[in-house]
């Protein structure tokens, strides 16, 4: 039987707290903090929203008897910050409150912080322990690590495919066949939940022309994602749902027209990488790609994906548009309603520390 140490137990609580802010912190990481005095939690907090107080600040503020801080251990899943941003450095607050021991899940990859938070604490005579549940701490903040180290958004590919490996039936724009639902309403609610956890949703122009999707949250509450598509030759109708003005929309094209406020003109034969660079500079931290086979295969071909979520249904199409293919075996196989949900991480992108 696995022996769970106190450090592991309290770090797991940090991760649990951090997850509460999923989809709410923007480009900032998910961070939870626990303060322990004589093996008893006396304070907890997490980074609740972008621009708000950090986890350490909230945890320290929650301690009723502040005199106990000088005899306590602070647990946090990411290295305390050491620079002035939207808030003062957490490492300075920890020093000010004379907390004698700090246990950290993983070192912050941000060059402004990386190792400096630990160094500042140690210079003040604080005992610092690092690497507790390091793998789990990296996985929780894989989007943040991708943003910092790869300088692009974290990319999630999502599609549903039939039992015999087709993403869709053959359809024609002039005499379209209605989309064939491979999953059910329960699975679609899960997809809308996912949309609310990411900054943006990306689909190809063919999907917009064929299905006129709204690309919003309807079956779940949460933040409406930025809608993104490609329309190199300005073929999308002004009346398309994606242009209804109800949420931020970016449509990449060769030329921006004076009448279309959604189009983002891009130079030359712009690529997936060029678009991701633009989104990264707009501080879009994560994108869920729900396009057809063509756009998804473009991300796979260029190696610009981090995670794939695939619903494998029970229906048989016989023929149609062949589903994208991920060469790695799934990390998780989850029975879900009438489907099998396959979750795969890009093994090439996900070495230790990415």
């Amino acid at each position: 039987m696995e022996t769970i140490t106190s450090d592991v137990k309290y770090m797991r609580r940090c991760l649990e707290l951090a997850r509460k802010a999923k989809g709410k912190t923007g480009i900032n990481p998910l961070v939870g903090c626990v303060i322990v005095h004589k093996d008893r939690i006396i304070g907890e907090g997490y980074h609740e929203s972008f621009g708000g107080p950090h986890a350490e600040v909230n945890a320290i503020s929650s301690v009723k008897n502040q005199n106990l801080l000088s005899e306590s251990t602070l647990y946090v899943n990411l290295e305390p910050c050491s620079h002035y941003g939207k808030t003062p450095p957490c490492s300075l607050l920890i020093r000010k409150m004379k907390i004698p021991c700090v246990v950290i899940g993983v070192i912050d990859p941000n060059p402004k912080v990386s190792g400096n938070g630990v160094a500042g604490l140690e210079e003040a005579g604080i005992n610092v322990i690092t690497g507790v549940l390091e793998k789990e701490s990296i996985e929780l903040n894989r989007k943040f690590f991708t943003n910092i180290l790869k300088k692009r958004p974290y990319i999630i590919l999502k599609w549903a495919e039939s039992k015999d490996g087709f993403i869709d039936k053959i359809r024609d724009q002039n005499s379209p066949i209605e989309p064939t639902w491979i999953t059910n309403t329960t699975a679609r609610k899960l997809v809308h939940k996912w949309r609310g956890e990411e900054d943006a949703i990306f689909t190809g122009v063919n999907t917009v022309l064929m299905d006129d999707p709204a690309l919003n949250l309807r079956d779940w509450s949460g933040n409406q994602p930025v809608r993104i598509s490609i329309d190199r030759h300005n073929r999308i109708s002004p009346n398309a749902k994606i242009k209804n003005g109800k949420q931020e929309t970016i449509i990449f094209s060769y030329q921006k027209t004076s009448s279309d406020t959604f189009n983002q003109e891009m130079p030359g034969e712009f690529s997936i990488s060029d678009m991701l660079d633009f989104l990264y500079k707009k501080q879009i931290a994560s994108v869920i790609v729900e396009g057809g086979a063509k756009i998804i295969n473009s991300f796979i071909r260029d190696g610009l994906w981090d995670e794939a979520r695939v619903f494998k249904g029970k229906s048989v199409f016989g023929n149609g548009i062949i589903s994208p293919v991920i060469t790695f075996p799934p990390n998780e196989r989850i029975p879900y309603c009438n489907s099998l949900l396959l979750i795969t991480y890009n093994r090439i992108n996900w070495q230790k520390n990415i």
Side-chain angles (χ1 to χ4, degrees), residues 23-38:
K24 300 176 182 178
T25 60
I27 60 171
N28 287 347
L30 297 169
V31 183
C33 180
V34 172
I35 298 173
V36 177
H37 179 263
K38 295 183 178 179

Side-chain angles (χ1 to χ4, degrees), residues 308 326-333 340-345 347:
I326 298 292
T327 56
F328 304 119
N331 294 79
E332 299 178 61
R333 302 172 66 92
L340 181 64
L341 175 57
L342 308 175
I343 298 179
T344 307
Y345 296 103
R347 307 293 202 279

